[in-house]
Amino acid sequence: MFDRSAARAAGLALGYLADVCWADPRRGHPVALFGTAAAALERRTYRDDRLAGASHTTALLFGLGALGFGLERIARGPVAKTLVTAAATYTVLGGTSLARTGADMAARLDRDDVTAARELLPSLCGRDPAFLDADGLARAALESVAENTSDAQVAPILWGAIAGVPGLLVYRGANTLDAMIGHLNPRYTRFGWAAARFDDILNYLPARVTGLCVLAVSGRPAAAWRAWRADAHKHPSPNAGVAEASFAGALGVQLGGPTQYAHRLEMRPTLGDGPPPAVADLKRAVRLTRRVQTLAAAMAVGLSAAGRSGRPFSPRR
């Protein structure tokens, strides 16, 4: 007998392994297609107020949730449900691409090719690379690796374990909308408010699971916990602070400080009590994110397998 929980667990495991093997497709990624659709809808729905933004966000995420429920409904048997879950999991995970991009950044900095490193930085974060030297690029990349360990990997697979295909799709849609419109600038402060707040809600538990995974696999649990407890609350994001502070403590570096974006300079609080990160620390962060991703995937698969979400599948008569 193969129950629905086992099918979900198997699908999450297969989707995770697919991401490890192939990472994100370079063209025609479904998340990019969703972003294109969201941008097209925004041209019709944009108003400089919260209600318009909340309606825009709700419409898009409701559509993703309905798609997820529909896919699960048409997946009648255990093999079909496993494959649908695997495809959705592979679609929403970005952990392998994150680790590979972090490793590529470290390799470019190792070659003292600052120009090439600046060209790569927009693949990791939204900071203005023109203002960053080699150390600044290493810090920006490391902070992005830490934050996106939660956003790109732990959160989606955890929501997959909790809510199946709808959870996978809605989480990735919410995170994509936050990246598109959840900004504190004149255009999006009100319109993107709902997207930003919903993304905060969905990431609250996964960020803390990420911190626990860092404690478990880093080899420096006391230092990671100390930085988490002392510094995470200082970060402007209630969730990114947990991931970045725990990484800072685990790696023995200090993150934060002046942070230059395209149109503004932010003075971020410092996280951790070590020296500023160097290229060697970025390499260690890449190794750490891979271990955290593996543990989080194992936890999600185990959580799914332990559940009992419905009656066992049986041959149709």
Side-chain angles (χ1 to χ4, degrees):
M1 305 292 280
F2 194 78
D3 68 18
R4 297 178 190 276
S5 299
R8 178 180 293 179
L12 291 173
L14 287 174
Y16 165 73
L17 292 174
D19 181 66
V20 169
C21 292
W22 298 304
D24 292 326
R26 293 183 179 272
R27 296 181 180 179
H29 197 296
V31 175
L33 297 177
F34 170 77
T36 300
L41 181 64
E42 181 185 333
R43 289 193 287 272
R44 295 178 175 272
T45 60
Y46 179 82
R47 300 289 186 278
D48 188 20
D49 64 68
R50 288 185 175 183
L51 181 59
S55 299
H56 173 82
T57 299
T58 300
L60 287 164
L61 298 186
F62 181 84
L64 286 177
L67 174 61
F69 280 114
L71 290 172
E72 286 200 333
R73 187 174 180 82
I74 65 175
R76 297 288 186 177
V79 174
K81 185 172 181 64
T82 297
L83 293 177
V84 165
T85 303
T89 303
Y90 172 59
T91 295
V92 305
L93 294 186
T96 298
S97 291
L98 172 68
R100 290 181 180 178
T101 305
D104 189 7
M105 175 66 78
R108 296 182 187 200
L109 292 174
D110 253 348
R111 299 193 303 266
D112 293 323
D113 194 345
V114 174
T115 299
R118 286 172 175 159
E119 291 173 353
L120 182 62
L121 188 67
S123 299
L124 285 168
C125 62
R127 300 181 196 182
D128 190 340
F131 289 87
L132 299 177
D133 59 10
D135 289 341
L137 289 163
R139 187 200 120 196
L142 199 158
E143 289 174 354
S144 180
V145 166
E147 178 180 358
N148 285 295
T149 296
S150 179
D151 290 1
Q153 187 78 14
V154 178
I157 204 165
L158 182 61
W159 278 110
I162 294 169
V165 175
L168 290 163
L169 300 186
V170 170
Y171 172 77
R172 179 49 65 208
N175 191 246
T176 302
L177 285 176
D178 179 57
M180 294 178 68
I181 65 175
H183 306 296
L184 293 176
N185 61 31
R187 178 175 175 85
Y188 289 126
T189 296
R190 285 180 285 273
F191 185 77
W193 178 86
R197 297 291 77 77
F198 190 58
D199 182 73
D200 285 344
I201 292 168
L202 290 183
N203 277 296
Y204 186 86
L205 176 61
R208 284 141 188 87
V209 171
T210 300
L212 293 174
C213 289
V214 171
L215 266 62
V217 303
S218 68
R220 290 170 48 93
W225 174 245
R226 185 167 57 249
W228 178 354
R229 288 290 304 274
D231 298 330
H233 67 279
K234 302 174 185 176
H235 197 283
S237 165
N239 301 318
V242 174
E244 291 185 27
S246 59
F247 263 70
L251 297 170
V253 300
Q254 185 178 85
L255 303 178
T259 303
Q260 180 69 53
Y261 291 93
H263 303 293
R264 71 188 191 280
L265 173 67
E266 291 187 8
M267 297 303 296
R268 292 284 180 89
T270 56
L271 310 174
D273 55 8
V279 178
D281 301 309
L282 177 56
K283 293 178 182 178
R284 293 193 296 132
V286 170
R287 293 193 292 269
L288 179 56
T289 189
R290 286 177 170 145
R291 294 196 296 271
V292 169
Q293 291 175 31
T294 300
L295 178 57
M299 291 171 61
V301 170
L303 178 64
S304 296
R308 289 293 180 266
S309 61
R311 61 181 176 81
F313 287 112
S314 58
R316 302 184 69 180
R317 294 180 173 84

